[in-house]
């Protein structure tokens, strides 16, 4: 399955007592966008809105031109990987991945083959019976990515899933996501606090500040630009 | 935590050390006797007016518990007098060896029978009775036999003889009337028994809530409803075989340091200063001389044709056996 | 760690001292004839049967109710319902029994309704069914409240995940709720089981008579009417080891679920909307069952002569005593629970516990658990002997009552706090260690704010238990030491049932007030 394009049209949202967010931007089908911006600028909120975990106060959200602002999370063409707690602590690796295929765990032979394939691709072969607490932080996120693979949705949202990992490991994980992106042509949005990660893995970069998308351009154009308000200050250049 | 503990005890200790000057008489009794609406506070005031002393009531949950406390405390008890046990416990109490002869003149006693116990002095008495709800029962049982053999659909709530005085009273009542046939009587009666409660309160509460039309209580129970609630709806059924008696008594502890004063109290107890407070505060019949006329309500109460009372020694010797007999007869 | 050991010693001492004291005053061998052993065997069977069935039913009813309440986070009046679930614990058994009789008895509401519609004759609940109705009334509420607390610990990411993976409510149950329920259930069931084992007035009154004799009745009888302390201690030890044995078996089934602390914002549950109708029905059914006897209690209390009650000095004395006891007992209970848990946390921090350490840990668990099945009559009489011999009988009574109440509430507090403490330990231990945050500082800055919700709930349970306790208070009762339940009992015992009903109502009101206050005063959760 290849990616879907995503369009946010005047999407508004506010936490109780908080400043309002106001998002308008779009993500091309098959693009890999890195989302950067100061903390509190609304990165996580933006992808939560896309995934359907937050309800916008107003505005529209389109996947491939179809309005999805009212759709339930499960009805959206989206898989999201969180910063933490992506796994059910009492279920082993295989079962955690299998939940991406069937919530009732009715698995056909093909399903099992597919799960095994996803585990191999994410470097988890042989870990099927481990419990999450027996895994390292990186391995846990690999399980979440393996589940995203078997779910095979057009959009993959990543909410700083590698923030806790060391530089080398983080590169490995980004390489993994990058490979998957190339193979499946899915639309990927990665929230990150490290512009280097975005340069390394993404095709596009977007900058958020104070609840607005200030820019969303191809990586080369983005990082050479000097007309993006607030970016220079954020990057410290 | 330790600090909390010590602080709390310090506070408690500070609160609980009264100044002592006069002679003090300490009496253990059951708690309803000394509640604000019981006879205790009035008796204390009346007695202190005559003795230039201080009377301290120490309340324990119920009559049995007062005796148990004396047993637990042994010769080191603070009590001068134990007040509140009944004749089913007097032998057991005497056997502890903790009580001494009362040695007072009992000419003031007014009891339906002759009093011979040399250790304990009675202060009131009552008769157990089946109380019925006259709105639901037109023809109450006229005898224990009619109760035992009556309509099993008409239910009675009774108390457990293992945990309650009225419960034990009924056990002895049936023993006094049926003797060796008590077990059979219990088997028949148990078909009418809705339930057996651990204490009087549960049984009487269920009765006044209308759950059963009959309950085991005292002949004096209707007096309360007449005096306090102005209704004669609840009445006692007079039984042809007679009614089993409960006589409540007091005795002096051997370990008392105030025996003179204790004897003075027991004598006072058989006279009007004490007895006047019994009828409408303890809802029992006075066992001594009163100076006021009995309330009207007491005149309307059932007067048993015969007072039944098994000898205290016999009760003490056989209580366990009889309770086992009751258990066997009612759990069959 | 030291505080934990001290708490354990305190608990063991509080339980063992009275038993030893009772054996010491009358060292004769109890009657162990074959007849008597046969009797003990038959009542033991009945005790286990009724407690087992009561536990099973209570828990089975509690699971759907707790799910519904946890799922419908914005159900109207939810907070009030949750508070109401703590209330049965505070009501003296005598009051509840009469309330249940009024609803389910021969002349009760249900009977009357059935008869008027010509369906059946009067209900007869006296027997096992009556015991079960009353025990489910008491314990379904308790179990449901504890389960709701457990379900609320589920990290919000789980709900997002569930939403994304299109879990139906069956899947949510299987993959998310059941693991949590399953790990909480052994603790809750064992608590309910102990409460049912120790139940006394309910069993006799609603059990219909001596057929429904339990060990607790036999202990009461042997210590009171027969005054046979060795036998009472023997029976109490039997009851204690019975529970300990069953828990040892149950302990193998217990699992400690890894509690995941989360920093995520609270998430909407995906199954909330679809399950709304069934949840509403479940909550309505549970609430009706719970509310009917409570309504009966309210209705009989509402016409009470409150003007008479509140003008009596003894009422105010009893109120002050009860509130002071409840506050003292609940605070002490939390201190002890915390000491035990902090000690366990220290032991767990060493990744692989040594054999001695894990033995210490399980004995701490047990110490905090089994006090509920040592009959109050034994604890009271034993402590009385000790205090009398030391000349402290009167002055120390309130302290002992508070301590005993605190100990009785400890099993509740431990079950509520343990998962939260363990979870926090996993998240914050290393951080605190690296920052050098220890002792009171850590307690104030980290533990207190994060555990506020669990602490409040534990406090509420402890206060309710203490405010409604009759057992411990009755044993030391004197004219100067009257609590509200004791006053209620005295009124009941002298024909003043209407005043007693009014006091029951006030008692319930004060208990709810105390719980409400605790919730208001709780420190704001800093993690959010």
């Amino acid at each position: 399955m290849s990616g879907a394009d995503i369009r946010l049209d005047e999407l508004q949202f506010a936490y109780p007592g908080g400043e309002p967010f106001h998002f308008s931007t779009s993500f091309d089908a098959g693009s890999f966008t890195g989302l950067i911006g100061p903390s509190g600028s609304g990165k996580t909120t933006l992808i939560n809105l896309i995934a359907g975990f937050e309800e916008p106060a107003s505005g529209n959200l389109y996947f491939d031109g179809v309005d999805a602002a009212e759709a339930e999370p499960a009805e959206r063409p989206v898989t999201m990987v969180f910063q933490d707690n992506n796994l059910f602590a009492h279920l082993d690796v295989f079962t955690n991945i299998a939940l991406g295929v069937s919530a009732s765990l009715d698995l056909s032979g093909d399903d099992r083959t597919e799960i095994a394939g996803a585990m191999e691709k994410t470097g988890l072969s042989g870990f099927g019976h481990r419990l999450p607490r027996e895994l390292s932080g990186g391995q846990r996120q690999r399980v979440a990515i393996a589940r995203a693979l078997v779910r095979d949705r057009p959009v993959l949202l990543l909410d700083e899933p590698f923030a806790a990992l060391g530089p080398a490991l983080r590169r490995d994980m980004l390489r993994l996501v990058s490979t998957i992106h190339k193979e499946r042509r899915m639309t990927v949005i990665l929230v990150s606090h490290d512009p280097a990660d975005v340069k390394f893995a993404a095709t596009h970069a977007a900058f958020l500040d104070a609840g607005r998308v200030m820019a969303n351009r191809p990586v080369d154009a983005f990082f050479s630009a000097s007309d993006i308000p607030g970016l220079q200050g954020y990057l410290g250049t | 935590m330790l600090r909390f503990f010590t602080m709390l005890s310090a506070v408690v200790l500070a609160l609980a050390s009264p100044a002592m000057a006069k002679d003090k008489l300490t009496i253990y009794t059951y708690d309803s006797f000394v509640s604000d609406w019981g006879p205790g506070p009035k008796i204390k005031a009346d007695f202190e007016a005559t003795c230039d002393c201080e009377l301290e009531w120490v309340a324990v949950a119920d009559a049995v518990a007062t005796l148990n406390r004396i047993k637990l405390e042994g010769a080191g008890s603070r009590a001068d007098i134990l007040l509140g046990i009944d004749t089913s416990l007097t032998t057991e109490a005497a056997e502890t060896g903790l009580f001494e002869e009362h040695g007072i003149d009992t000419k003031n006693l007014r009891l339906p029978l002759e009093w011979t116990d040399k250790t304990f002095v009675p202060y009131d008495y009552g008769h157990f009775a089946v109380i019925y709800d006259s709105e639901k029962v037109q023809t109450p049982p006229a005898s224990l036999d009619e109760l035992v053999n009556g309509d099993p659909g008409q239910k009675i709530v009774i108390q457990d003889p293992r945990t309650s005085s009225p419960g034990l009273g009924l056990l002895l009542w049936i023993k006094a009337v049926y003797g060796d046939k008590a077990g059979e009587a219990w088997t028949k009666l148990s078909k009418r028994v809705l339930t057996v409660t651990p204490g009087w309160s549960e049984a009487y509460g269920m009765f006044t809530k209308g759950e059963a039309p009959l309950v085991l209580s005292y002949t004096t129970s209707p007096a309360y409803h007449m005096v306090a609630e102005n209704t004669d709806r609840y009445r006692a059924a007079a039984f042809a075989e007679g009614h089993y008696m409960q006589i409540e008594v007091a005795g002096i502890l051997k370990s008392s340091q105030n025996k003179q004063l204790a004897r003075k109290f027991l004598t006072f107890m058989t006279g009007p200063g004490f007895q006047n407070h019994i009828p409408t505060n303890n809802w029992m019949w006075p066992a001594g001389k009163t100076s006021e006329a009995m309330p009207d309500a007491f005149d309307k109460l059932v007067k048993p044709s015969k007072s039944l009372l098994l000898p205290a020694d016999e009760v003490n010797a056989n209580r366990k056996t009889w309770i086992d007999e009751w258990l066997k007869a009612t759990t069959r | 760690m030291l505080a934990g050991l001290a708490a354990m010693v305190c608990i063991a001492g509080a339980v063992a001292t009275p038993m030893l004291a009772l054996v010491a005053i009358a060292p004769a061998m109890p009657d162990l004839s074959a007849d008597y052993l046969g009797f003990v065997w038959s009542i033991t069977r009945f005790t286990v049967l009724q407690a087992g069935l009561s536990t099973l039913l209570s828990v089975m009813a509690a699971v759907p109710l707790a799910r519904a309440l946890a799922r419908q986070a914005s159900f109207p009046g939810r907070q009030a319902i949750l508070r109401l679930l703590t209330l049965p614990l505070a009501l003296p058994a005598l009051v509840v029994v009469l309330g249940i009789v009024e609803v389910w008895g021969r002349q009760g509401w249900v009977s009357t309704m059935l008869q008027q519609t010509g369906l059946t004759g009067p209900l007869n609940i006296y027997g096992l069914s009556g015991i079960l109705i009353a025990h489910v009334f008491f314990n379904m509420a308790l179990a449901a409240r504890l389960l709701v607390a457990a379900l609320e610990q589920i990290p919000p990411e789980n709900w997002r995940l569930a939403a994304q993976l299109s879990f139906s409510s069956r899947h949510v149950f299987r993959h998310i709720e059941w693991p949590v329920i399953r790990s909480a259930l052994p603790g809750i069931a064992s608590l309910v089981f102990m409460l049912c084992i120790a139940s006394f007035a309910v069993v006799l009154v609603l059990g219909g008579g001596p057929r429904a004799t339990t060990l607790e009745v036999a202990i009461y009888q042997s210590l009171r009417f027969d005054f046979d302390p060795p036998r009472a201690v023997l029976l109490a030890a039997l009851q204690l080891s019975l529970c300990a044995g069953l828990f040892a078996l149950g302990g193998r089934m217990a699992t400690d679920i890894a509690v995941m602390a989360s920093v995520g914002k609270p998430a909407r549950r995906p199954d909330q909307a679809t399950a709304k109708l069934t949840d509403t029905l479940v909550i309505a059914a549970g609430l009706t069952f719970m509310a009917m006897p409570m309504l009966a209690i309210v209705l009989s209390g509402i016409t009470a002569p409150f003007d008479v009650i509140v003008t009596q000095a003894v009422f105010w004395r009893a109120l002050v005593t009860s509130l002071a006891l409840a506050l003292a007992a609940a605070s002490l209970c939390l201190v002890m629970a915390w000491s035990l848990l902090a000690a366990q946390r220290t032991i767990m921090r060493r990744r692989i516990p040594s054999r001695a350490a894990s033995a210490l840990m399980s004995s701490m668990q047990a110490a905090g658990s089994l006090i509920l099945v040592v009959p109050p009559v034994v604890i009271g009489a034993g402590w009385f002997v000790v205090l009398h011999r030391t000349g402290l009988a009167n002055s120390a009574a309130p302290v002992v009552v508070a301590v005993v109440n605190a100990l009785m509430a400890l099993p509740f507090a431990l079950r509520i706090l343990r998962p939260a403490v363990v979870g926090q330990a996993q998240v914050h231990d290393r951080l605190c260690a690296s920052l050098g945050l220890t002792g009171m500082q850590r307690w104030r800055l980290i533990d207190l704010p994060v555990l506020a919700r669990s602490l409040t709930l534990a406090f509420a349970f402890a206060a309710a238990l203490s405010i409604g306790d009759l057992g411990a208070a009755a044993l030391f009762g004197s004219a100067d030491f009257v609590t509200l339940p004791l006053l209620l009992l005295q009124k009941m015992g002298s024909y003043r049932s209407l005043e007693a009903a009014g006091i029951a109502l006030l008692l319930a009101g004060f208990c709810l007030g105390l719980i409400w206050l605790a919730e208001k005063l709780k420190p704001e959760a800093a993690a959010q």
Side-chain angles (χ1 to χ4, degrees):
Chain A
M1 194 181 286
S2 61
D5 77 60
I6 308 165
R7 190 151 63 82
L8 283 67
D9 186 10
E10 303 282 316
L11 213 52
Q12 297 209 38
F13 177 84
Y15 291 106
E19 290 293 306
F21 298 105
H22 194 279
F23 300 122
S24 278
T25 190
S26 58
F27 303 90
D28 293 341
S31 63
F32 183 158
T33 310
L35 222 52
I36 58 174
S39 138
S41 60
K43 303 184 294 287
T44 298
T45 306
L46 179 91
I47 60 170
N48 271 341
L49 282 165
I50 295 174
F53 296 135
E54 305 287 5
E55 262 178 84
S58 65
N60 294 303
L61 168 70
Y62 303 95
F63 292 105
D64 281 338
V66 181
D67 190 350
E70 303 281 305
E72 291 298 320
E75 295 162 13
R76 303 185 183 207
V78 168
T79 296
M80 181 154 161
V81 177
F82 310 108
Q83 223 164 346
D84 207 348
N85 287 333
N86 281 294
L87 308 184
F88 294 105
H90 57 285
L91 298 177
D92 65 15
V93 166
F94 180 87
T95 316
N96 259 298
I97 298 172
L99 282 174
V101 179
S102 158
S104 45
L105 296 174
D106 298 327
L107 302 174
S108 65
D110 285 355
D111 292 336
R112 289 175 184 281
T113 316
E114 198 188 341
I115 294 165
M119 285 173 61
E120 199 186 331
K121 185 159 285 168
T122 48
L124 289 169
S125 295
F127 287 84
H129 293 298
R130 298 272 186 102
L131 286 172
R133 65 165 175 268
E134 296 162 341
L135 301 178
S136 70
Q139 285 167 332
R140 270 183 239 170
Q141 299 303 61
R142 282 174 191 270
V143 178
I145 290 171
R147 182 162 59 208
L149 276 178
V150 298
R151 266 172 66 77
D152 199 18
R153 297 287 167 114
V155 177
L156 176 62
L157 305 173
L158 303 159
D159 185 7
E160 296 201 56
F162 316 130
L165 309 179
L169 196 52
R170 202 156 79 210
R171 283 289 147 94
D172 285 349
M173 299 298 285
L174 286 170
R175 226 171 263 133
L176 174 64
V177 173
S178 197
T179 314
I180 293 167
H181 168 244
K182 287 192 184 100
E183 277 177 28
R184 302 272 174 115
R185 305 304 315 163
M186 36 176 45
T187 311
V188 178
I189 304 177
L190 168 75
V191 172
S192 173
H193 58 252
D194 188 349
D197 285 356
V198 176
K199 273 187 204 159
F200 177 79
T203 61
H204 289 67
F207 178 64
L208 268 71
D209 197 15
R212 282 168 192 274
V213 183
M214 309 307 284
N216 184 353
R217 303 176 187 174
V219 167
D220 296 340
F222 182 91
F223 284 106
S224 56
S226 54
D227 61 334
I228 304 173
L231 181 63
Q232 253 62 34
Y234 172 71
L235 294 174
T237 52
Chain B
M1 189 185 64
L2 248 174
R3 197 183 325 160
F4 172 80
F5 200 96
T6 29
M7 258 166 52
L8 197 63
S9 3
V11 170
V12 168
L13 281 169
L15 290 173
S17 50
M20 265 182 282
K22 297 178 189 169
D23 270 352
K24 194 161 95 175
L25 188 68
T26 302
I27 307 180
Y28 285 11
T29 188
Y30 48 87
D31 63 10
S32 67
F33 195 85
V34 292
S35 62
D36 284 8
W37 55 89
K42 297 157 194 107
I43 289 168
K44 175 179 156 81
D46 281 9
F47 184 63
E48 285 176 352
T50 69
C51 74
D52 188 37
C53 66
E54 193 197 333
L55 193 167
E56 184 201 15
W57 292 116
V58 173
V60 185
D62 55 40
V64 187
T66 58
L67 179 58
N68 284 344
R69 175 162 292 193
I70 296 286
K71 286 183 190 168
L72 289 171
E73 293 180 346
S77 178
R78 240 163 27 93
D80 298 302
I81 291 175
L82 169 68
L83 183 148
I85 59 170
D86 67 25
T87 43
S88 67
L89 289 170
T90 48
T91 301
E92 194 182 330
E95 279 176 359
T96 62
L98 296 169
F99 292 88
E100 70 169 33
E101 292 200 0
H102 59 72
I104 66 155
D105 185 354
T106 56
K107 65 175 169 15
N108 276 341
L109 288 183
R110 305 279 186 276
L111 277 175
L113 48 79
E114 198 189 340
W115 188 254
T116 54
D117 192 318
K118 291 201 166 7
T119 310
F120 295 100
V121 182
Y123 63 89
D124 68 12
Y125 70 94
H127 291 93
F128 295 111
V130 169
I131 306 295
Y132 65 97
D133 180 349
S134 62
E135 286 179 10
K136 289 182 185 142
V137 179
Q138 272 70 46
T139 45
S143 64
L144 192 58
D145 212 47
E146 277 188 39
L147 176 75
V148 166
N149 293 302
D151 172 15
Q154 194 177 59
K155 295 292 184 189
I156 182 170
V157 181
I158 62 169
Q159 297 86 356
D160 196 315
R162 294 171 296 177
T163 52
S164 116
S165 302
L168 184 60
L170 181 62
L171 185 87
L172 301 177
W173 194 353
I174 286 185
K175 196 76 210 174
V177 170
Y178 290 92
D180 293 344
K181 301 258 165 43
E184 292 160 38
W186 270 115
T187 305
K188 286 188 213 155
L189 179 60
S190 62
K191 296 190 182 73
R192 281 191 90 162
V193 172
L194 180 66
T195 191
V196 182
T197 66
W200 177 89
S201 304
E202 294 93 351
Y204 210 77
M206 289 174 79
F207 169 69
T208 50
K209 282 201 185 297
E211 182 67 0
L214 303 173
V215 68
L216 175 67
S217 185
Y218 297 88
T219 54
T220 44
S221 296
Y224 176 82
H225 299 287
M226 285 189 262
V227 170
E229 295 166 359
N230 214 6
T231 171
D232 64 349
R233 175 177 171 183
Y234 304 114
R235 297 172 196 167
F239 280 4
E241 298 92 340
H243 289 241
Y244 199 83
M245 260 185 112
Q246 182 181 34
I247 305 174
E248 296 189 296
V249 304
I252 300 172
L253 274 295
K254 267 192 187 141
S255 54
S256 165
Q257 306 293 315
N258 265 322
K259 287 178 190 157
Q260 250 352 80
L261 190 57
R263 294 213 159 80
K264 196 172 170 192
F265 180 81
L266 288 194
T267 310
F268 171 83
M269 188 178 81
T270 60
F274 185 108
Q275 295 291 325
N276 284 348
H277 299 300
I278 290 298
T280 54
N281 289 296
N282 216 31
W283 304 100
M284 294 285 269
W285 290 92
K289 209 164 144 185
T290 54
S291 60
E292 293 165 4
M294 288 297 282
D296 289 348
F298 275 74
D299 291 338
K300 295 183 194 146
L301 297 179
V302 161
K303 308 280 188 310
S305 55
K306 193 178 159 199
S307 292
L308 305 172
L309 188 65
L310 293 171
D313 296 348
E314 197 184 329
V315 173
N316 191 50
N318 293 299
R319 193 162 44 85
K320 275 189 190 179
T321 323
W322 292 342
I323 284 180
D324 283 345
E325 182 184 55
W326 166 78
L327 270 176
K328 283 208 178 73
T330 54
T331 53
R332 248 208 304 269
Chain C
M1 189 71 195
L2 265 178
L5 283 175
M8 198 175 85
V9 170
C10 171
I11 296 162
V15 179
T17 311
M19 292 177 80
L20 292 175
L22 284 182
V23 174
I25 56 163
M29 265 309 280
D31 164 28
L32 291 175
S33 65
D35 247 19
Y36 189 69
L37 289 181
F39 170 71
V40 170
W41 169 236
S42 77
I43 61 173
T44 305
R45 251 183 357 210
F46 180 77
T47 305
V48 173
L49 173 78
Q50 67 86 7
L53 279 177
S54 300
T55 307
L56 195 68
L57 286 178
S58 304
V59 166
M60 270 167 41
V63 168
L65 181 61
R67 282 185 74 204
L69 282 168
R71 185 154 48 200
Q72 303 302 334
S74 48
F75 195 79
R78 178 174 181 270
Q79 208 50 42
I81 297 173
L82 289 182
R83 266 181 224 135
L84 211 60
L85 294 181
T86 353
L87 195 56
L89 207 59
L91 295 172
L94 172 66
V95 173
V96 172
V97 164
L98 290 179
I100 284 185
V101 163
E102 205 152 335
V103 175
W104 296 97
R106 280 169 77 241
Q107 310 293 326
W109 302 351
V110 178
S111 258
T112 312
M113 219 170 62
L114 289 175
Q115 276 174 290
Q116 271 168 5
T117 51
L119 285 172
T120 56
L123 293 177
N124 187 359
I125 57 162
Y126 300 96
L128 196 55
S129 53
I131 298 176
L132 294 180
I133 289 176
H135 281 170
V136 171
F137 172 81
F138 273 112
N139 298 308
M140 175 188 75
L142 166 70
R145 186 64 191 86
L146 292 175
L147 280 174
V148 168
L151 289 170
E152 281 174 345
Q153 304 275 341
I154 294 172
E157 285 88 345
N158 272 11
W159 300 122
R160 301 217 166 102
L161 219 48
Q164 189 156 78
L165 300 174
S166 67
F167 280 6
S168 69
S169 99
R170 205 162 47 87
H171 298 138
V172 165
F173 181 70
R174 179 172 161 195
H175 300 311
I176 302 181
E177 292 170 318
W178 178 243
V180 173
I181 293 173
R182 196 188 164 284
S183 79
L185 224 42
I188 294 172
S190 62
L191 187 64
V192 172
F193 186 80
M194 286 193 293
L195 289 169
C196 293
I197 284 260
S199 164
F200 176 59
V202 163
V203 171
L204 269 185
V205 176
L206 297 175
R211 243 178 250 100
T213 294
T214 57
L215 276 170
E216 190 86 4
V217 176
I219 294 166
Y220 187 80
Q221 180 198 358
S222 54
L223 198 55
R224 285 173 47 90
F225 267 59
D226 302 344
F227 199 72
D228 188 349
R231 195 211 283 183
V233 171
L234 195 74
L235 291 173
L238 173 65
Q239 178 158 306
L240 199 64
S241 42
L242 196 71
C243 288
L246 282 169
F247 295 168
L249 276 179
R252 288 164 190 230
M253 299 186 303
T255 51
D256 247 340
I257 194 161
V259 181
M260 292 167 295
S262 166
V263 292
K265 295 195 173 64
R268 203 160 37 92
R269 291 185 49 162
D271 50 351
Q272 200 174 63
T274 44
K276 183 116 193 181
L277 182 66
T278 44
D279 283 349
T280 307
L281 290 176
V282 167
I283 295 174
L287 204 58
T288 310
F289 178 75
M290 293 285 308
M292 280 201 303
M294 287 200 203
L295 188 65
I297 294 167
V298 170
L299 288 181
S300 40
I302 209 97
T303 52
F306 287 105
D307 51 331
V308 176
I309 297 173
V310 299
T311 47
Q312 289 166 347
V314 63
F315 169 76
W316 294 103
R317 261 195 350 252
L319 176 63
V320 170
T321 308
S322 275
L323 290 179
L325 264 184
L327 285 173
S331 315
L332 186 59
C333 168
L334 288 192
V335 171
M336 285 195 285
W338 178 257
S339 313
L340 281 177
L341 289 170
Q344 291 186 19
R345 193 166 67 174
T346 311
I347 294 170
M348 279 192 313
R349 205 174 295 145
R350 301 176 195 147
R351 275 278 163 111
I352 309 150
S354 73
R355 190 165 290 209
S358 65
L360 184 64
M361 192 149 123
S362 47
S363 49
M364 280 184 180
Q365 292 272 83
S369 263
L370 289 169
I371 177 130
L372 275 181
V373 286
V374 185
V377 70
V378 170
I379 295 188
W383 268 110
F384 182 79
V385 171
V386 175
L387 294 176
H388 177 70
R389 297 280 150 96
T390 52
L392 285 168
N394 286 289
S395 47
V399 181
V400 173
V401 174
V403 172
V404 171
N405 279 175
L407 290 175
M408 284 163 56
L410 198 55
F412 295 81
L414 286 176
R415 278 162 178 77
I416 294 164
L417 289 173
R418 193 163 188 280
V421 170
V422 172
Q424 286 315 311
Q426 286 169 354
V427 178
H428 291 136
D429 261 4
R430 269 175 297 170
L431 184 59
C432 290
S434 72
L435 294 173
L437 273 176
T438 51
M440 277 312 287
Q441 225 179 354
R442 166 166 181 177
W443 163 248
R444 195 169 53 81
L445 288 173
I446 311 292
D447 296 322
L448 184 62
V450 174
L451 299 174
R453 190 143 65 153
S454 307
L455 285 168
T456 309
L457 183 62
F459 184 90
F461 267 113
L465 192 84
S466 167
I467 212 170
D469 173 60
L470 198 61
L475 292 155
F476 288 96
S478 68
D480 320 315
F481 187 72
V482 182
T483 62
L484 276 183
L486 216 51
L487 181 64
L488 186 153
L489 205 69
Q490 288 176 7
K491 297 270 184 193
M492 272 309 281
S494 48
Y495 297 103
R496 288 169 167 76
S497 49
L498 210 53
E499 281 178 54
I503 294 174
L505 200 56
L506 293 170
L507 182 74
F510 284 117
C511 179
L512 282 179
L514 212 58
I515 294 170
W516 176 82
L517 200 69
E519 284 169 6
K520 287 289 140 200
L521 294 179
K522 82 167 179 209
E524 283 311 310
Q528 302 282 309

